[in-house]
Amino acid sequence: MPDLRVNKNGLKLKNPIMTASGTYGYNLEYEDYTDLTLIGSIVTKAISLKPRLGNDWQRIIETECGMVNSIGLENVGIEVFLKEKLPVLLEKGIDFCVNLAGSTFEEYVELAQLCEINKIGMIELNVSCPNVNHGCLEFGVDDQVLYRLVSMVREVYSGCLIVKLTPNVTSIEKLGLASQKAGANAVSAINTLKGLGLKLFFENGKFRKEQVKGGYSGKGIKPVALSAVVRLKEVLDIPIIGMGGICCLEDVFEFFAVGAEAVQIGTANFTHPDIAGKLVLELEDFMKKNNFNTLDDLKGALRNE
Amino acid sequence: MKYNKLFDSIVIDNKPVGKNLYLMKIQTPDGIISNPGQFLSFLVPDKTFRRPISILNNHSGVIELLYKIKGDGTKYFSTLKSGESINFTGVHGNSFKVGKRNLLIGAGVGMAPVYYMYSMLKEQNIPALLACGFREEGEIPVCFKSEFDFISTDDGSYSNKGSIVNYVENLINNFKPDNICVCGPVIVMKLISEIAQRHNIFCQVSMEKMMACSIGACRGCVIKIKDNGVIKNSAVCKEGTVYDSRVVFYDLVEGGEDA
């Protein structure tokens, strides 16, 4: 059996296939489609201190190569998460990471403290959601602000701390470096791109439009994501979790080739709800058939090309 | 069977039954049980979103689906031939509650779930009346024309002239339902909901929304509803598609149906 484990700088996963925040619910949403215990780590929907209703309809629209969403961080809040969602994850033996979204420094710290108290082993800071008016993105676009935020969270949280970076900046490298300097165990990249999905209909002599302004994700963003990972890899020592448009094993390999240690599957979960578990099995199968004993062997082969 | 919601099925039949309207029959995978109001989500090659289609009937090993060509997804479905494979997830969503006397109202392709309800109630000998409205005669699926108890067309090209909404009052007075089920454009459901409330009759509406995941995870199809005076979110794919007609904010949910 090949060894699929990832173990770098405190980022410990049984395999490198994770699911991206916002696409996989909180715990058992996909249990009718795949074995959730197969997945390296399920990243929960972003959790805030208080529950959020999110944005009004229309929240999603399909584009040529993906979708634009403006969910607006709808979530149950940390209290309900800890009470109702967390016990199910633990009981079912599902590996998970909790994505946290705050609107002030103090909120992030409080959220991280609650995760520390509840012995949650891995958190991902959402500092890059494009769909809310305050918070989140504001923390993710300025390297000094981000450094301060990650440092404050680092002080209260001892588990694996991941910072999810936005591509909607001039230099993603600076933000990666700020996260690293502040003590993050890893960065994940990329969150959605700012996008506008627009559809025009000409009906009964009049134009009607449907549009969603928000985060663009799916197949179309893969080249942007690969470029972000490459640039981060050039400056960072901490591991990078790559994501953006991954739909198949070849896509996973591409992210490994440019330096990602693990990957997250996002929008593809909507199209193929069984894909995350399937990719784990396909990766294992590929390594077995082609004599790659460890993930580093495989990554090494991909990176030497 | 543990992972029992993702299927590759075979198209048995797929033919036009009206203007831009198709009836597709697919093989029912073993063990699929469905109820009126529920839907399946179909994969379309190279598309990110699956297309939700309401179940028209499910019996003797065949699931029937009625769909109207509205966009790329439904256009693709119309090209499928017998013997071809089609991938879907489901069964999704909740279903209509049954009353003692059921007035079932469909507008356009929205007739699918109420027709399903009608066939089920008929089998169980529960009183039901099927009343459907269409824009014109060409939009009435030919194969079902004789099965409706009441038909109206906006342009008067077939049977009663005018919107189905104009006839609801009369249908209520004659049939005396204690339960009304409606599926159709948002405005039709809104107006019928108001009529039902005036008559103090329980009314259910089936909402249609663009969906990304169909399973309640992405929160993309979420609408706001009133729950005991509190405004809360509801994912149409999971907590819907059927709602008590009084809880929906009709003015906030237009659009997102042309897939």
Side-chain angles (χ1 to χ4, degrees), chain B:
Chain B
M1 198 158 50
K2 198 179 170 200
Y3 309 115
N4 54 355
K5 287 218 161 182
L6 182 63
F7 300 99
D8 280 311
S9 179
I10 301 289
V11 176
I12 299 170
D13 192 20
N14 188 27
K15 58 176 188 225
V17 291
K19 193 179 170 188
N20 293 326
L21 204 60
Y22 278 73
L23 179 69
M24 179 158 62
K25 297 181 182 179
I26 62 170
Q27 250 170 28
T28 312
D30 280 347
I32 273 212
I33 297 166
S34 61
N35 283 303
Q38 292 190 299
F39 67 95
L40 307 174
S41 271
F42 290 87
L43 185 67
V44 181
D46 300 322
K47 291 285 171 190
T48 300
F49 292 172
R50 285 171 176 265
R51 269 38 177 193
I53 303 184
S54 190
I55 300 172
L56 177 77
N57 227 328
N58 175 9
H59 62 81
S60 323
V62 179
I63 290 178
E64 294 181 32
L65 306 143
L66 183 73
Y67 61 94
K68 188 178 177 177
I69 300 185
K70 287 181 176 175
D72 298 340
T74 39
K75 201 176 280 171
Y76 161 75
F77 296 140
S78 72
T79 66
L80 288 167
K81 298 191 171 51
S82 314
E84 287 191 82
S85 159
I86 188 162
N87 178 283
F88 71 85
T89 62
V91 175
H92 299 299
N94 66 355
S95 53
F96 288 115
K97 292 185 183 74
V98 178
K100 287 197 182 78
R101 294 182 65 78
N102 304 275
L103 174 58
L104 312 170
I105 306 172
V109 71
M111 66 159 271
V114 292
Y115 175 83
Y116 186 11
M117 180 78 165
Y118 182 69
S119 357
M120 194 190 78
L121 295 176
K122 282 280 157 187
E123 267 174 35
Q124 300 172 12
N125 287 317
I126 297 171
L129 188 127
L130 180 63
C132 289
F134 301 90
R135 278 205 198 99
E136 52 177 296
E137 184 177 13
E139 289 194 353
I140 309 170
V142 282
C143 42
F144 302 110
K145 222 167 181 174
S146 62
E147 296 188 49
F148 300 105
D149 296 309
F150 184 92
I151 296 184
S152 78
T153 49
D154 292 352
D155 65 355
S157 52
Y158 186 85
S159 201
N160 306 284
K161 184 179 178 173
S163 165
I164 188 73
V165 176
N166 303 340
Y167 294 96
V168 172
E169 200 89 38
N170 264 339
L171 290 165
I172 289 174
N173 290 332
N174 294 330
F175 182 67
K176 308 228 175 322
D178 67 334
N179 179 31
I180 300 176
C181 304
V182 196
C183 184
V186 170
I187 181 68
V188 170
M189 296 195 286
K190 178 187 175 182
L191 294 171
I192 295 177
S193 168
E194 287 166 7
I195 298 170
Q197 280 184 63
R198 278 206 301 277
H199 287 262
N200 211 10
I201 301 169
F202 180 60
C203 178
Q204 304 167 71
V205 294
S206 172
M207 304 299 296
E208 182 189 11
K209 280 282 153 266
M210 189 187 293
M211 293 168 185
C213 74
S214 308
I215 56 177
C218 75
R219 314 305 291 170
C221 66
V222 160
I223 59 169
K224 297 226 161 41
I225 60 166
K226 287 163 273 194
D227 185 24
N228 288 325
V230 182
I231 296 171
K232 61 173 224 177
N233 285 332
S234 178
V236 171
C237 67
K238 199 171 181 203
E239 287 114 37
T241 61
V242 178
Y243 293 91
D244 178 331
S245 73
R246 291 165 297 186
V247 308
V248 177
F249 291 94
Y250 296 92
D251 300 334
L252 293 179
V253 296
E254 290 280 4
E257 291 139 28
D258 302 285

Side-chain angles (χ1 to χ4, degrees), chain A residues 92-106:
Chain A
K92 299 261 178 179
I94 297 166
D95 287 349
F96 64 95
C97 167
V98 179
N99 183 290
L100 301 176
S103 29
T104 60
F105 289 102
E106 292 72 24

Side-chain angles (χ1 to χ4, degrees), chain A residues 29-35 53 55-57 59-60 62 66-67 71 74 208 210 267 270-271 274, chain B residues 3-6 47-51 92 209 212-213 215 218-220 222 224 233 254-256 258:
Chain A
E29 281 81 349
Y30 284 81
E31 71 171 344
D32 288 327
Y33 301 92
T34 192
D35 180 353
L53 273 178
N55 296 333
D56 285 332
W57 179 260
R59 293 177 166 195
I60 52 168
E62 192 178 48
M67 62 181 287
I71 307 295
E74 174 188 349
R208 176 173 69 84
E210 280 182 11
T267 302
F270 301 151
T271 322
D274 58 338
Chain B
Y3 309 115
N4 54 355
K5 287 218 161 182
L6 182 63
K47 291 285 171 190
T48 300
F49 292 172
R50 285 171 176 265
R51 269 38 177 193
H92 299 299
K209 280 282 153 266
C213 74
I215 56 177
C218 75
R219 314 305 291 170
V222 160
K224 297 226 161 41
N233 285 332
E254 290 280 4
D258 302 285

Side-chain angles (χ1 to χ4, degrees), chain A residues 46-193:
Chain A
I47 313 280
S48 52
L49 211 48
K50 296 273 174 264
R52 290 177 58 103
L53 273 178
N55 296 333
D56 285 332
W57 179 260
Q58 182 172 351
R59 293 177 166 195
I60 52 168
I61 196 163
E62 192 178 48
T63 63
E64 284 81 353
C65 297
M67 62 181 287
V68 175
N69 87 79
S70 178
I71 307 295
L73 291 183
E74 174 188 349
N75 78 95
V76 296
I78 190 82
E79 204 180 311
V80 173
F81 175 78
L82 293 173
K83 211 167 102 194
E84 294 171 17
K85 311 288 183 185
L86 177 63
V88 181
L89 287 163
L90 296 170
E91 185 204 329
K92 299 261 178 179
I94 297 166
D95 287 349
F96 64 95
C97 167
V98 179
N99 183 290
L100 301 176
S103 29
T104 60
F105 289 102
E106 292 72 24
E107 273 186 32
Y108 278 102
V109 169
E110 199 175 335
L111 285 162
Q113 273 170 333
L114 286 167
C115 289
E116 176 77 13
I117 292 164
N118 285 278
K119 301 190 173 58
I120 288 167
M122 196 186 294
I123 62 174
E124 182 181 63
L125 300 185
N126 182 349
V127 291
S128 45
C129 177
N131 298 330
V132 288
N133 291 331
H134 299 288
C136 282
L137 192 57
E138 290 164 27
F139 294 95
V141 295
D142 182 308
D143 58 335
Q144 285 171 18
V145 173
L146 185 63
Y147 173 74
R148 189 173 154 219
L149 178 76
V150 179
S151 304
M152 286 169 77
V153 170
R154 182 75 287 175
E155 262 183 51
V156 299
Y157 182 71
S158 63
C160 178
L161 169 58
I162 302 166
V163 182
K164 185 168 181 176
L165 302 176
T166 176
N168 303 317
V169 290
T170 311
S171 166
I172 198 169
E173 297 93 314
K174 275 190 185 170
L175 298 156
L177 284 167
S179 306
Q180 176 173 288
K181 195 172 143 202
N185 298 86
V187 292
S188 52
I190 54 175
N191 204 327
T192 55
L193 289 157

